Amino acid sequence: QNLYANRIWYATANKGLGFIEKDSLYGNLPNEILPNTRIKVLEEDEKGYLWLGTANQGMYHLYLYDKKFNLKNTRKALSSDDINFILADGTDSLWLWTVSCLDRVNLDFERNFTDLRHFGRKEGLEDVEINQHAAFLKAGRLWLGANTGFSIYQAQSNAAENAGPRIYLEQVRLF
């Protein structure tokens, strides 16, 4: 059982990782756990693991069971060490937006990488500059808003669906 299920986790630019529980704010984890690490994004997956995306230090995950924090740095496999967005899709996969492309990471039971796939323009991604506030998962599809349009990925597929406009307005007439 996840001992931290009722906690709300937060990260700050300078003071690390902390949580809110039962209307109380608890201090940050000691600096020894994440020394000099700027956490940019947090995501909890379906198994209760907390994933941390950092600025130029890759991605970490914390095992939240038995009151132990075990760090695993996964940065060597990713397309970039600068993680801007993490989304757990509920199927033992994580979608990561890095500064260079979109990565899909498949995970085993112990949350180790079993497969890693990079997505960029040649795989159908409209733009590599994804807006993290315009990305969501609905009905098994990952919707990604970007500066020049949007892309849709079937969560279990390896290809993107380009969502280009189907109607072109050439003229607007006001009555």
PDB file of all heavy atoms in Angstrom, residues 85-106:
ATOM      1  N   PHE A  85       8.160  17.965 -19.196  1.00  0.00           N
ATOM      2  CA  PHE A  85       6.806  17.436 -19.036  1.00  0.00           C
ATOM      3  C   PHE A  85       6.881  15.930 -18.852  1.00  0.00           C
ATOM      4  O   PHE A  85       7.652  15.264 -19.531  1.00  0.00           O
ATOM      5  CB  PHE A  85       6.006  17.790 -20.307  1.00  0.00           C
ATOM      6  CG  PHE A  85       4.627  17.235 -20.344  1.00  0.00           C
ATOM      7  CD1 PHE A  85       3.597  17.852 -19.660  1.00  0.00           C
ATOM      8  CD2 PHE A  85       4.344  16.103 -21.081  1.00  0.00           C
ATOM      9  CE1 PHE A  85       2.312  17.345 -19.708  1.00  0.00           C
ATOM     10  CE2 PHE A  85       3.065  15.589 -21.140  1.00  0.00           C
ATOM     11  CZ  PHE A  85       2.045  16.216 -20.447  1.00  0.00           C
ATOM     12  N   ILE A  86       6.100  15.395 -17.919  1.00  0.00           N
ATOM     13  CA  ILE A  86       5.974  13.943 -17.729  1.00  0.00           C
ATOM     14  C   ILE A  86       4.490  13.633 -17.613  1.00  0.00           C
ATOM     15  O   ILE A  86       3.765  14.299 -16.879  1.00  0.00           O
ATOM     16  CB  ILE A  86       6.679  13.454 -16.443  1.00  0.00           C
ATOM     17  CG1 ILE A  86       8.164  13.816 -16.446  1.00  0.00           C
ATOM     18  CG2 ILE A  86       6.497  11.943 -16.275  1.00  0.00           C
ATOM     19  CD1 ILE A  86       8.863  13.515 -15.129  1.00  0.00           C
ATOM     20  N   LEU A  87       4.050  12.607 -18.329  1.00  0.00           N
ATOM     21  CA  LEU A  87       2.661  12.164 -18.227  1.00  0.00           C
ATOM     22  C   LEU A  87       2.638  10.642 -18.166  1.00  0.00           C
ATOM     23  O   LEU A  87       3.147   9.974 -19.063  1.00  0.00           O
ATOM     24  CB  LEU A  87       1.845  12.642 -19.436  1.00  0.00           C
ATOM     25  CG  LEU A  87       0.379  12.222 -19.441  1.00  0.00           C
ATOM     26  CD1 LEU A  87      -0.385  12.930 -18.329  1.00  0.00           C
ATOM     27  CD2 LEU A  87      -0.248  12.538 -20.776  1.00  0.00           C
ATOM     28  N   ALA A  88       2.079  10.099 -17.085  1.00  0.00           N
ATOM     29  CA  ALA A  88       1.871   8.655 -16.974  1.00  0.00           C
ATOM     30  C   ALA A  88       0.554   8.330 -17.661  1.00  0.00           C
ATOM     31  O   ALA A  88      -0.461   8.967 -17.385  1.00  0.00           O
ATOM     32  CB  ALA A  88       1.824   8.241 -15.507  1.00  0.00           C
ATOM     33  N   ASP A  89       0.571   7.363 -18.592  1.00  0.00           N
ATOM     34  CA  ASP A  89      -0.643   7.098 -19.375  1.00  0.00           C
ATOM     35  C   ASP A  89      -1.511   5.971 -18.818  1.00  0.00           C
ATOM     36  O   ASP A  89      -2.506   5.591 -19.428  1.00  0.00           O
ATOM     37  CB  ASP A  89      -0.312   6.868 -20.845  1.00  0.00           C
ATOM     38  CG  ASP A  89       0.422   5.568 -21.125  1.00  0.00           C
ATOM     39  OD1 ASP A  89       0.568   4.738 -20.207  1.00  0.00           O
ATOM     40  OD2 ASP A  89       0.849   5.388 -22.276  1.00  0.00           O
ATOM     41  N   GLY A  90      -1.142   5.411 -17.669  1.00  0.00           N
ATOM     42  CA  GLY A  90      -1.961   4.363 -17.058  1.00  0.00           C
ATOM     43  C   GLY A  90      -1.721   2.977 -17.616  1.00  0.00           C
ATOM     44  O   GLY A  90      -2.393   2.025 -17.224  1.00  0.00           O
ATOM     45  N   THR A  91      -0.782   2.833 -18.534  1.00  0.00           N
ATOM     46  CA  THR A  91      -0.488   1.533 -19.146  1.00  0.00           C
ATOM     47  C   THR A  91       0.979   1.156 -18.966  1.00  0.00           C
ATOM     48  O   THR A  91       1.578   0.535 -19.830  1.00  0.00           O
ATOM     49  CB  THR A  91      -0.827   1.537 -20.652  1.00  0.00           C
ATOM     50  OG1 THR A  91       0.043   2.467 -21.309  1.00  0.00           O
ATOM     51  CG2 THR A  91      -2.272   1.910 -20.891  1.00  0.00           C
ATOM     52  N   ASP A  92       1.567   1.561 -17.851  1.00  0.00           N
ATOM     53  CA  ASP A  92       2.984   1.321 -17.570  1.00  0.00           C
ATOM     54  C   ASP A  92       3.897   2.007 -18.574  1.00  0.00           C
ATOM     55  O   ASP A  92       4.965   1.501 -18.918  1.00  0.00           O
ATOM     56  CB  ASP A  92       3.294  -0.175 -17.494  1.00  0.00           C
ATOM     57  CG  ASP A  92       2.650  -0.829 -16.293  1.00  0.00           C
ATOM     58  OD1 ASP A  92       2.589  -0.179 -15.238  1.00  0.00           O
ATOM     59  OD2 ASP A  92       2.202  -1.977 -16.410  1.00  0.00           O
ATOM     60  N   SER A  93       3.485   3.175 -19.049  1.00  0.00           N
ATOM     61  CA  SER A  93       4.316   3.993 -19.924  1.00  0.00           C
ATOM     62  C   SER A  93       4.312   5.433 -19.427  1.00  0.00           C
ATOM     63  O   SER A  93       3.336   5.900 -18.856  1.00  0.00           O
ATOM     64  CB  SER A  93       3.799   3.984 -21.365  1.00  0.00           C
ATOM     65  OG  SER A  93       3.936   2.714 -21.937  1.00  0.00           O
ATOM     66  N   LEU A  94       5.427   6.102 -19.665  1.00  0.00           N
ATOM     67  CA  LEU A  94       5.545   7.526 -19.393  1.00  0.00           C
ATOM     68  C   LEU A  94       5.823   8.250 -20.692  1.00  0.00           C
ATOM     69  O   LEU A  94       6.582   7.760 -21.537  1.00  0.00           O
ATOM     70  CB  LEU A  94       6.700   7.815 -18.428  1.00  0.00           C
ATOM     71  CG  LEU A  94       6.628   7.243 -17.035  1.00  0.00           C
ATOM     72  CD1 LEU A  94       7.933   7.493 -16.306  1.00  0.00           C
ATOM     73  CD2 LEU A  94       5.469   7.837 -16.264  1.00  0.00           C
ATOM     74  N   TRP A  95       5.220   9.407 -20.862  1.00  0.00           N
ATOM     75  CA  TRP A  95       5.504  10.286 -21.988  1.00  0.00           C
ATOM     76  C   TRP A  95       6.267  11.469 -21.433  1.00  0.00           C
ATOM     77  O   TRP A  95       5.838  12.104 -20.468  1.00  0.00           O
ATOM     78  CB  TRP A  95       4.215  10.743 -22.651  1.00  0.00           C
ATOM     79  CG  TRP A  95       3.497   9.637 -23.328  1.00  0.00           C
ATOM     80  CD1 TRP A  95       2.601   8.767 -22.767  1.00  0.00           C
ATOM     81  CD2 TRP A  95       3.607   9.264 -24.700  1.00  0.00           C
ATOM     82  NE1 TRP A  95       2.155   7.874 -23.713  1.00  0.00           N
ATOM     83  CE2 TRP A  95       2.756   8.163 -24.912  1.00  0.00           C
ATOM     84  CE3 TRP A  95       4.340   9.763 -25.774  1.00  0.00           C
ATOM     85  CZ2 TRP A  95       2.618   7.545 -26.143  1.00  0.00           C
ATOM     86  CZ3 TRP A  95       4.201   9.141 -26.999  1.00  0.00           C
ATOM     87  CH2 TRP A  95       3.355   8.057 -27.188  1.00  0.00           C
ATOM     88  N   LEU A  96       7.426  11.747 -22.029  1.00  0.00           N
ATOM     89  CA  LEU A  96       8.298  12.817 -21.561  1.00  0.00           C
ATOM     90  C   LEU A  96       8.563  13.793 -22.694  1.00  0.00           C
ATOM     91  O   LEU A  96       8.937  13.377 -23.784  1.00  0.00           O
ATOM     92  CB  LEU A  96       9.653  12.253 -21.112  1.00  0.00           C
ATOM     93  CG  LEU A  96       9.630  11.028 -20.227  1.00  0.00           C
ATOM     94  CD1 LEU A  96      11.006  10.421 -20.146  1.00  0.00           C
ATOM     95  CD2 LEU A  96       9.133  11.410 -18.865  1.00  0.00           C
ATOM     96  N   TRP A  97       8.389  15.044 -22.421  1.00  0.00           N
ATOM     97  CA  TRP A  97       8.794  16.059 -23.378  1.00  0.00           C
ATOM     98  C   TRP A  97      10.106  16.631 -22.880  1.00  0.00           C
ATOM     99  O   TRP A  97      10.212  17.142 -21.784  1.00  0.00           O
ATOM    100  CB  TRP A  97       7.740  17.145 -23.511  1.00  0.00           C
ATOM    101  CG  TRP A  97       8.234  18.346 -24.234  1.00  0.00           C
ATOM    102  CD1 TRP A  97       8.871  18.383 -25.439  1.00  0.00           C
ATOM    103  CD2 TRP A  97       8.152  19.693 -23.808  1.00  0.00           C
ATOM    104  NE1 TRP A  97       9.190  19.669 -25.794  1.00  0.00           N
ATOM    105  CE2 TRP A  97       8.751  20.496 -24.791  1.00  0.00           C
ATOM    106  CE3 TRP A  97       7.633  20.303 -22.690  1.00  0.00           C
ATOM    107  CZ2 TRP A  97       8.845  21.874 -24.685  1.00  0.00           C
ATOM    108  CZ3 TRP A  97       7.720  21.682 -22.582  1.00  0.00           C
ATOM    109  CH2 TRP A  97       8.318  22.446 -23.582  1.00  0.00           C
ATOM    110  N   THR A  98      11.131  16.493 -23.701  1.00  0.00           N
ATOM    111  CA  THR A  98      12.435  17.071 -23.390  1.00  0.00           C
ATOM    112  C   THR A  98      12.636  18.264 -24.325  1.00  0.00           C
ATOM    113  O   THR A  98      11.783  18.546 -25.162  1.00  0.00           O
ATOM    114  CB  THR A  98      13.567  16.041 -23.600  1.00  0.00           C
ATOM    115  OG1 THR A  98      13.723  15.794 -24.998  1.00  0.00           O
ATOM    116  CG2 THR A  98      13.271  14.740 -22.869  1.00  0.00           C
ATOM    117  N   VAL A  99      13.750  18.928 -24.182  1.00  0.00           N
ATOM    118  CA  VAL A  99      13.987  20.077 -25.048  1.00  0.00           C
ATOM    119  C   VAL A  99      14.255  19.672 -26.487  1.00  0.00           C
ATOM    120  O   VAL A  99      14.210  20.512 -27.377  1.00  0.00           O
ATOM    121  CB  VAL A  99      15.134  20.964 -24.515  1.00  0.00           C
ATOM    122  CG1 VAL A  99      14.751  21.610 -23.212  1.00  0.00           C
ATOM    123  CG2 VAL A  99      16.418  20.181 -24.386  1.00  0.00           C
ATOM    124  N   SER A 100      14.502  18.388 -26.751  1.00  0.00           N
ATOM    125  CA  SER A 100      14.806  17.987 -28.121  1.00  0.00           C
ATOM    126  C   SER A 100      13.702  17.180 -28.801  1.00  0.00           C
ATOM    127  O   SER A 100      13.618  17.186 -30.017  1.00  0.00           O
ATOM    128  CB  SER A 100      16.124  17.211 -28.172  1.00  0.00           C
ATOM    129  OG  SER A 100      16.029  16.046 -27.403  1.00  0.00           O
ATOM    130  N   CYS A 101      12.874  16.459 -28.053  1.00  0.00           N
ATOM    131  CA  CYS A 101      11.800  15.686 -28.671  1.00  0.00           C
ATOM    132  C   CYS A 101      10.885  15.106 -27.601  1.00  0.00           C
ATOM    133  O   CYS A 101      11.025  15.405 -26.419  1.00  0.00           O
ATOM    134  CB  CYS A 101      12.359  14.585 -29.573  1.00  0.00           C
ATOM    135  SG  CYS A 101      13.129  13.206 -28.739  1.00  0.00           S
ATOM    136  N   LEU A 102       9.971  14.255 -28.025  1.00  0.00           N
ATOM    137  CA  LEU A 102       9.068  13.550 -27.130  1.00  0.00           C
ATOM    138  C   LEU A 102       9.580  12.121 -26.982  1.00  0.00           C
ATOM    139  O   LEU A 102       9.911  11.469 -27.965  1.00  0.00           O
ATOM    140  CB  LEU A 102       7.657  13.547 -27.738  1.00  0.00           C
ATOM    141  CG  LEU A 102       6.563  12.848 -26.967  1.00  0.00           C
ATOM    142  CD1 LEU A 102       6.207  13.645 -25.713  1.00  0.00           C
ATOM    143  CD2 LEU A 102       5.331  12.683 -27.845  1.00  0.00           C
ATOM    144  N   ASP A 103       9.673  11.635 -25.745  1.00  0.00           N
ATOM    145  CA  ASP A 103      10.099  10.265 -25.473  1.00  0.00           C
ATOM    146  C   ASP A 103       8.929   9.493 -24.868  1.00  0.00           C
ATOM    147  O   ASP A 103       8.190  10.026 -24.053  1.00  0.00           O
ATOM    148  CB  ASP A 103      11.243  10.218 -24.458  1.00  0.00           C
ATOM    149  CG  ASP A 103      12.545  10.771 -24.979  1.00  0.00           C
ATOM    150  OD1 ASP A 103      12.722  10.842 -26.207  1.00  0.00           O
ATOM    151  OD2 ASP A 103      13.400  11.138 -24.153  1.00  0.00           O
ATOM    152  N   ARG A 104       8.783   8.231 -25.277  1.00  0.00           N
ATOM    153  CA  ARG A 104       7.859   7.323 -24.603  1.00  0.00           C
ATOM    154  C   ARG A 104       8.693   6.229 -23.958  1.00  0.00           C
ATOM    155  O   ARG A 104       9.483   5.561 -24.618  1.00  0.00           O
ATOM    156  CB  ARG A 104       6.854   6.685 -25.553  1.00  0.00           C
ATOM    157  CG  ARG A 104       5.817   5.845 -24.755  1.00  0.00           C
ATOM    158  CD  ARG A 104       4.906   5.039 -25.628  1.00  0.00           C
ATOM    159  NE  ARG A 104       5.704   4.022 -26.306  1.00  0.00           N
ATOM    160  CZ  ARG A 104       5.376   3.477 -27.471  1.00  0.00           C
ATOM    161  NH1 ARG A 104       4.292   3.846 -28.097  1.00  0.00           N
ATOM    162  NH2 ARG A 104       6.144   2.560 -28.018  1.00  0.00           N
ATOM    163  N   VAL A 105       8.505   6.042 -22.654  1.00  0.00           N
ATOM    164  CA  VAL A 105       9.251   5.058 -21.895  1.00  0.00           C
ATOM    165  C   VAL A 105       8.277   4.005 -21.405  1.00  0.00           C
ATOM    166  O   VAL A 105       7.304   4.328 -20.723  1.00  0.00           O
ATOM    167  CB  VAL A 105       9.950   5.714 -20.679  1.00  0.00           C
ATOM    168  CG1 VAL A 105      10.692   4.684 -19.864  1.00  0.00           C
ATOM    169  CG2 VAL A 105      10.872   6.835 -21.126  1.00  0.00           C
ATOM    170  N   ASN A 106       8.498   2.737 -21.763  1.00  0.00           N
ATOM    171  CA  ASN A 106       7.713   1.635 -21.227  1.00  0.00           C
ATOM    172  C   ASN A 106       8.438   1.099 -19.997  1.00  0.00           C
ATOM    173  O   ASN A 106       9.661   0.992 -19.984  1.00  0.00           O
ATOM    174  CB  ASN A 106       7.537   0.527 -22.263  1.00  0.00           C
ATOM    175  CG  ASN A 106       6.704   0.984 -23.434  1.00  0.00           C
ATOM    176  OD1 ASN A 106       5.864   1.865 -23.319  1.00  0.00           O
ATOM    177  ND2 ASN A 106       6.947   0.390 -24.584  1.00  0.00           N
TER     178      ASN A 106
END
